[in-house]
Amino acid sequence: MRATSEEQSMRAFQVSGTEAPVLPVRRRVPVPAAGQVLVRVKAAALNARDRLIVGGRYSAPVPPGRVPLSDGAGVVEAAGDGVTRFRAGDRVMSTFHPAWIYGPFPGWGELYGVQRDGWLTEYIAVDERSVVGVPDHLSYEEAATLPCAALTAWSAVDGIGPGDTVLVQGSGGVSVFALQFARLAGARVLATTSSAEKARRLKDLGASEVVDYARTPEWGARVRALADGRGVDLVVEIGGAGTVAQSIDALADGGRISLVGNLASGGGMDLTRFFQLGATLRTVAVGSRSDFERMNRVVARHRLRPVIDRVFPFAAAPEAFAYFEKGAGMGKVVIGL
Ligand SMILES: NC(=O)c1ccc[n+]([C@@H]2O[C@H](COP(=O)([O-])OP(=O)(O)OC[C@H]3O[C@@H](n4cnc5c(N)ncnc54)[C@H](OP(=O)(O)O)[C@@H]3O)[C@@H](O)[C@H]2O)c1
């Protein structure tokens, strides 16, 4: 690989361990080893886990100085020896699980932002097997939203089709993609949210009915009534312990819950009612690279456009984290480089 002198030093942000979410640092531009590509990062996106990582609240220890963010997109700048999948100039995206290529979930291995440095950096050297091509119609900012949130949503609505009714909770990154994929699959989609403006926007994206969960604490019964009194076939559960009881109230006989997140604290689920429904609870762990590639073929075929709430410039990464922490927006928060 050929390195030019101006590539020697680069800007990045690292977890600060202080009040500030992230701090700017200068690091050496990595040199790609055999089998690696050097990616010039053009955009990176925030997920709920990144709030926990920079806030010192993540479930695994995060070493000081770690570069955060699992999700990024950029252009291949150089390739190490033996690289065959990509060449300089190719547009690529990260995968959330860098080593899960295909097959069943292998467990939570080394993840960006936790055990290895992530994508909030100008350059990153990664195994060529851990990146995938960007669908042609997407900008780098749009592509950066896909690796975690979109693939999680794709996995969560797996098996849904015409005739099914799906409930998505709120208007965050995963939920908006779940709405889009469920609509693409021909399903009817109901949503919950906490404001009239977001309800209007969810309807514009294809939700047939939206329930305000803040004004209607017993929203499960309301959703069931709106789903022809029968209930929904699938809930994309991002609230977890604080919402699952209502999700069960919303569920049809034989329905499924895809357990994605745990944003709402609360008492958990009534197992007796769950058993009576003959329901299924399935956890989602984002997905493999092969799942991601299949999803991207559908994204490309339907020219699906991710919903971006705001794009912050690289230098304003701390402001992006502060804005994302407030949760005021809808869809994805992105940092452009
Ligand atoms: N298992 C996995 O593979 C996986 C992958 C990705 C994410 N996750 C998890 O999934 C969850 C969502 O992640 P994300 O990145 O999409 O988060 P996000 O973009 O930060 O979503 C925030 C939104 O969630 C909604 N919300 C919060 N509490 C809610 C409640 N009680 N009821 C309904 N909606 C509620 C709010 O929507 P409104 O503003 O509309 O009210 C809020 O704006 C997180 O817990 C995350 O850790 C898991």
Side-chain angles (χ1 to χ4, degrees):
M1 115 101 196
R2 188 170 47 86
T4 56
S5 55
E6 69 270 20
E7 288 173 348
Q8 295 304 305
S9 163
M10 66 176 187
R11 297 176 299 159
F13 281 90
Q14 65 183 33
V15 173
S16 77
T18 67
E19 287 292 287
V22 286
L23 291 174
V25 282
R26 287 207 83 86
R27 295 204 177 172
R28 285 185 72 78
V29 175
V31 176
Q36 286 189 327
V37 287
L38 178 70
V39 180
R40 185 185 176 98
V41 181
K42 297 285 195 176
L46 277 62
N47 291 288
R49 75 189 278 274
D50 302 311
R51 284 197 293 267
L52 306 179
I53 287 171
V54 302
R57 291 172 278 136
Y58 195 63
S59 53
V62 177
R66 181 61 80 218
V67 175
L69 301 191
S70 58
D71 291 10
V75 60
V76 173
E77 185 99 349
D81 289 343
V83 166
T84 55
R85 280 168 51 82
F86 298 102
R87 59 183 172 198
D90 285 346
R91 301 188 331 135
V92 293
M93 304 177 275
S94 62
T95 48
F96 183 83
H97 292 282
W100 184 13
I101 307 297
Y102 62 89
F105 178 52
W108 301 95
E110 276 200 11
L111 300 178
Y112 293 116
V114 183
Q115 292 89 2
R116 57 170 75 181
D117 282 334
W119 286 69
L120 193 51
T121 178
E122 287 183 299
Y123 291 91
I124 188 167
V126 289
D127 190 316
E128 65 159 338
R129 291 168 297 186
S130 71
V131 285
V132 301
V134 172
D136 286 344
H137 72 290
L138 295 183
S139 67
Y140 288 112
E141 284 84 1
E142 290 171 322
T145 69
L146 300 183
C148 178
L151 182 55
T152 299
W154 171 264
S155 301
V157 301
D158 184 35
I160 283 298
D164 288 323
T165 303
V166 175
L167 173 69
V168 300
Q169 299 174 341
S171 57
V174 173
S175 301
V176 169
F177 277 121
L179 190 168
Q180 291 177 298
F181 286 133
R183 291 291 294 137
L184 268 189
R188 181 181 180 212
V189 180
L190 278 60
T192 60
T193 190
S194 54
S195 84
E197 168 58 14
K198 288 182 177 181
R200 187 188 62 70
R201 294 193 58 203
L202 288 163
K203 282 191 172 169
D204 286 348
L205 285 168
S208 53
E209 307 282 351
V210 183
V211 177
D212 186 325
Y213 65 85
R215 286 164 177 255
T216 314
E218 304 291 313
W219 50 261
R222 178 79 188 122
V223 168
R224 168 184 284 276
L226 290 168
D228 306 324
R230 189 180 77 84
V232 300
D233 301 288
L234 175 76
V235 178
V236 179
E237 180 67 61
I238 57 97
T243 47
V244 70
Q246 291 303 312
S247 299
I248 291 170
D249 280 349
L251 213 54
D253 283 323
R256 292 189 287 144
I257 296 178
S258 287
L259 179 58
V260 169
N262 204 17
L263 284 180
S265 53
M269 63 195 283
D270 176 349
L271 280 175
T272 305
R273 178 75 190 119
F274 193 73
F275 182 82
Q276 286 166 345
L277 281 167
T280 304
L281 180 70
R282 184 176 67 95
T283 56
V284 173
V286 190
S288 67
R289 189 190 87 195
S290 139
D291 298 328
F292 194 27
E293 287 165 333
R294 197 158 59 94
M295 180 199 95
N296 290 328
R297 286 198 290 277
V298 174
V299 167
R301 192 173 309 135
H302 293 273
R303 300 186 74 77
L304 184 140
R305 301 223 89 103
V307 175
I308 293 182
D309 174 33
R310 255 180 93 168
V311 180
F312 287 82
F314 187 65
E319 286 79 14
F321 277 94
Y323 174 80
F324 188 55
E325 181 77 44
K326 289 196 204 118
M330 170 160 168
K332 299 295 296 178
V333 174
V334 175
I335 295 170
L337 279 85

